[in-house]
Amino acid sequence: MRKNNGDKRELILQAAKKVFAENGYHQSSITQIASVAGIGDGTIYNYFQNKEHILQTLFHETIYNQFVPGLQQALEPYQDARFMLLEIVRYHFHFFQSDPEAARVIQIESRQSIQRVREAMRPGIRSYARIIDATINQGMEQQLFVSDIPVRVSRKMIFGTLDEIVTNWVLSSKDYSLLTSVEPAFRLLLNALTNTNKNPFRNE
Amino acid sequence: MRKNNGDKRELILQAAKKVFAENGYHQSSITQIASVAGIGDGTIYNYFQNKEHILQTLFHETIYNQFVPGLQQALEPYQDARFMLLEIVRYHFHFFQSDPEAARVIQIESRQSIQRVREAMRPGIRSYARIIDATINQGMEQQLFVSDIPVRVSRKMIFGTLDEIVTNWVLSSKDYSLLTSVEPAFRLLLNALTNTNKNPFRNE
Amino acid sequence: MRKNNGDKRELILQAAKKVFAENGYHQSSITQIASVAGIGDGTIYNYFQNKEHILQTLFHETIYNQFVPGLQQALEPYQDARFMLLEIVRYHFHFFQSDPEAARVIQIESRQSIQRVREAMRPGIRSYARIIDATINQGMEQQLFVSDIPVRVSRKMIFGTLDEIVTNWVLSSKDYSLLTSVEPAFRLLLNALTNTNKNPFRNE
Amino acid sequence: MRKNNGDKRELILQAAKKVFAENGYHQSSITQIASVAGIGDGTIYNYFQNKEHILQTLFHETIYNQFVPGLQQALEPYQDARFMLLEIVRYHFHFFQSDPEAARVIQIESRQSIQRVREAMRPGIRSYARIIDATINQGMEQQLFVSDIPVRVSRKMIFGTLDEIVTNWVLSSKDYSLLTSVEPAFRLLLNALTNTNKNPFRNE
DNA sequence: CATGAATGAGAGTTCATTCAT
DNA sequence: TATGAATGAACTCTCATTCAT
């Protein structure tokens, strides 16, 4: 049975993920991707408008179609914002650890200054942001989290922290498990969000 | 009297910063940089080995020669780790706010998958990391900061948070001041490092 | 049906031969070659790794694949080393006369100081040298040629003489036939190799 | 005392000889030559019109001003054309052996297909040719040399043979003395010019 | 005369994209 | 739909030559 279109499209995406992860977007050529996919160069253009479009799609499908839905599902069981935060941390690390190539492409290659690539990233990023925001808001409603910090800033802290830890891991030899960072990262973030210090410079 | 090397070299770096910030490294050409600098293409090669070398130098000079020394000086007056943390936050935001082009290049272009570029960044990044680590350690010695979180993780949180906030600002229309984020970001980070949730899931 | 590789490759080689013959290797550009071949610049790189490789191939194909096999065939009928020497002279002049562009490239451009080019020529040159050496040895076995001169030196005389005559012709207006030199050159070389003078400085 | 013009001109020529011999004409840069000469790039243009002109001059001075006069002087004592031929062989090999860098430039680098370079070579070559021709003519008048071969062809044999031997030596590791070739080369050439094979294919 | 920083034309080469098959 | 040879714009980089000092 001949491969259907869906398969071939996916084939190209997987090949591109591999090649981008290995060499970087600008150092990768269409010929390389086609070669890894075992197809002709021209065939790629039946499925993607251009090279840039592959990267856009790769990002969009990974974040918007995989990461975010998976996270939503993973959060469903929880009500307590603290548990939800823990799950976000765990899920984030787990996701990228289980697909290091995707991690590399997302963390490194998508940070291109190409405007169109950034725009393709936006819906996925925004969905993720909304989930984090909802969690923070819920924590505030549950009077578990500080309420005098703009949600936006808290969210950037959460995302920035997770992102930084993953990026460091991606660029390392990856000989340690990302999951060992779940606990300390969670505790830091929970600390940050938990309201107790009225006067930060108190000397009690 | 002839322009000395320092002048011309600096001229090229400034032009490159501008062009890289506007178009991104890979989308920038030597001809563009030369044109902005008001010099001939070939002149650039009297001062830099190649295009990559310009980017490397830009990073190194900005982080290692400007950012880090400035931060060290800014931290000198302080003893209390909490004040030092505040100064780190303030300085970080202030630095990039006052040179948005540098910010763009540092925040975005540094995410290159070119190994040599990453390596050129390393000394600067590591110096910065050492300063943050020293601050955290000092806070722990002063029994101000929690001591049961690996310094490495705390540092990544701090850096990741600041980085994320700056990146968002850089990619935005920049119509708000980064300095408005000093307070909330500091409070979050201080909370993270000072709060103690012995039992994070307690329901008191 | 699409042109096959052989055609396009040959097309490029012929164009390069023409252009190199006219301007010399270093004064020839890829664009000129492509233009003469009636193809795009980039196409050349589908068949040759780089400009140097074209020159190497040109040498190799001309000497190793054309000149030497043709000479071997031409020598087959002969047993007497003197007839073989005559045929070498005749064939050498005939070959280059019938392809003056090849002659020019071989005679002039081969004097490149580029090591890789020299190395590409070696197999062809060595094959030719072996044929000449075999002829000389045969003449000595047949007691027709002097046996107290190193074969190596005799071969250099033969090759040097033919080469010099061709080079002069190539650089001239080529308004005379190389073949007029067959007889005198042959007679000189045969004289040189024929053993009769015991005392070179005799005054008989 | 400051170096006078003659010195500096000579300095440049010597530097160029060295650099050309080492890297080849096209692979050598003005900057390299200036550097070896210990002067500024621009200074070279006070003494030579351009890079090509240096090569032309180098050739001209070496052959026309050094090689040829030296040969004329070396030939003076001799009357017998055979001794003159011997001296030509000896002198030719001696000259290039004692200045291998000159040899390399003359044998290899001057064989460029640049028309103007070839033209600059002509007077020197022609002078040398005239000396060889005179020697051959003298030998014929003295009834020592065969008179039924065009002088032009004999001269090409002589020059081609010597040239080929020197070229091979230049391109070799030069671990043998060129002078070992004096005797066999001379004997071959003398044979060529003196033997008489009225019927070359006789079976006596 | 001497300098060497500045120049810019021109080189070789790459590679995303097209399109005839 | 699949192909991959062909393309040529665009790139980085070199270096002979100039000229203000």
Side-chain angles (χ1 to χ4, degrees), chain D residues 75-177:
Chain D
L75 288 177
E76 263 173 24
Y78 301 105
Q79 300 302 328
D80 187 314
R82 294 171 299 186
F83 282 87
M84 294 173 81
L85 179 62
L86 174 58
E87 183 57 21
I88 288 173
V89 173
R90 193 203 61 77
Y91 181 86
H92 191 119
F93 291 164
H94 170 77
F95 184 89
F96 288 116
Q97 168 135 286
S98 60
D99 191 350
E101 283 169 354
R104 170 120 203 171
V105 174
I106 299 295
Q107 299 293 128
I108 310 297
E109 301 312 323
S110 296
R111 313 290 166 105
Q112 296 296 338
S113 47
I114 307 177
Q115 193 57 31
R116 283 179 301 273
V117 174
R118 307 203 77 88
E119 270 157 19
M121 295 172 61
R122 220 171 266 171
I125 295 285
R126 200 158 347 158
S127 293
Y128 190 18
R130 260 193 238 107
I131 292 172
I132 298 178
D133 284 0
T135 303
I136 298 169
N137 280 319
Q138 193 163 332
M140 296 197 304
E141 282 166 20
Q142 294 169 341
Q143 300 196 321
L144 296 168
F145 294 170
V146 290
S147 55
D148 53 352
I149 304 277
V151 173
R152 179 178 21 89
V153 179
S154 300
R155 178 231 302 152
K156 286 174 189 169
M157 175 192 64
I158 295 171
F159 184 76
T161 300
L162 302 181
D163 196 66
E164 179 69 17
I165 290 172
V166 173
T167 296
N168 272 272
W169 176 80
V170 159
L171 295 174
S172 75
S173 48
K174 293 193 269 297
D175 53 5
Y176 60 96
S177 169

Side-chain angles (χ1 to χ4, degrees), chain A residues 34-50:
Chain A
S35 160
V36 168
I39 59 173
D41 290 23
T43 306
I44 288 180
Y45 289 85
N46 289 332
Y47 297 90
F48 298 94
Q49 295 153 26
N50 50 40

